[in-house]
Amino acid sequence: MAVHINQPLGLLIAFLLLGLSLQDFLTQTITPIFAWIVVTILLPLQLLQQPDFIKLAGALLLLAIGFILVKQNLLGSGDIPIILILWLFFPLFWFSWALVIGATIGIVSILIRKRHQLAFVPCLSIGYWVVAVIFN
């Protein structure tokens, strides 16, 4: 988290991910309202700083895919805003790495624990922190 001390928004995201990761790890659920609040802050900021409609279209696509995966019980509904936060906060290359790292940790965790249910927010958070440290 020390990487983001000069970035208030990055620090907010780091603390949000820390709290939601702990909650997801302990209860297999999160309180997504906090993550959705951050998404509603990030989206206008992203569009005001760099009007990137590819970023907006990607967010809408991720939202649609996320809801399909939730409907099929392949993804928890709390994971969607976390993925959107990573998408909106990071450049595409960094987002891709954060998602790959998080997914890899998730797959390894499922294989080791031999359980099909996974607290995915901690995995995504680790991906976020690794990418933030490596690329910052």
Side-chain angles (χ1 to χ4, degrees), residues 7-114:
Q7 281 188 349
L9 191 55
L11 190 58
L12 171 72
I13 293 169
F15 276 114
L16 172 77
L17 290 176
L18 180 63
L20 292 178
S21 293
L22 184 59
Q23 183 183 15
D24 195 21
F25 181 76
L26 295 174
T27 66
Q28 292 283 310
T29 61
I30 68 166
T31 309
I33 187 69
F34 302 114
W36 283 113
I37 289 170
V38 172
V39 168
T40 59
I41 292 169
L42 276 174
L43 192 57
L45 281 177
Q46 177 70 29
L47 293 174
L48 288 173
Q49 287 178 352
Q50 281 184 325
D52 185 354
F53 293 103
I54 292 174
K55 201 69 140 156
L56 179 60
L60 293 174
L61 181 63
L62 283 172
L63 192 60
I65 291 170
F67 281 122
I68 290 168
L69 293 175
V70 167
K71 189 81 169 156
Q72 295 177 353
N73 292 323
L74 297 173
L75 189 67
S77 61
D79 300 327
I80 296 170
I82 304 303
I83 293 169
L84 282 172
I85 288 170
L86 295 178
W87 171 257
L88 292 169
F89 186 70
F90 281 147
L92 177 60
F93 181 74
W94 297 11
F95 166 78
S96 301
W97 272 108
L99 203 56
V100 166
I101 291 167
T104 303
I105 291 168
I107 290 168
V108 169
S109 176
I110 286 172
L111 292 174
I112 290 172
R113 296 176 58 214
K114 295 181 175 38

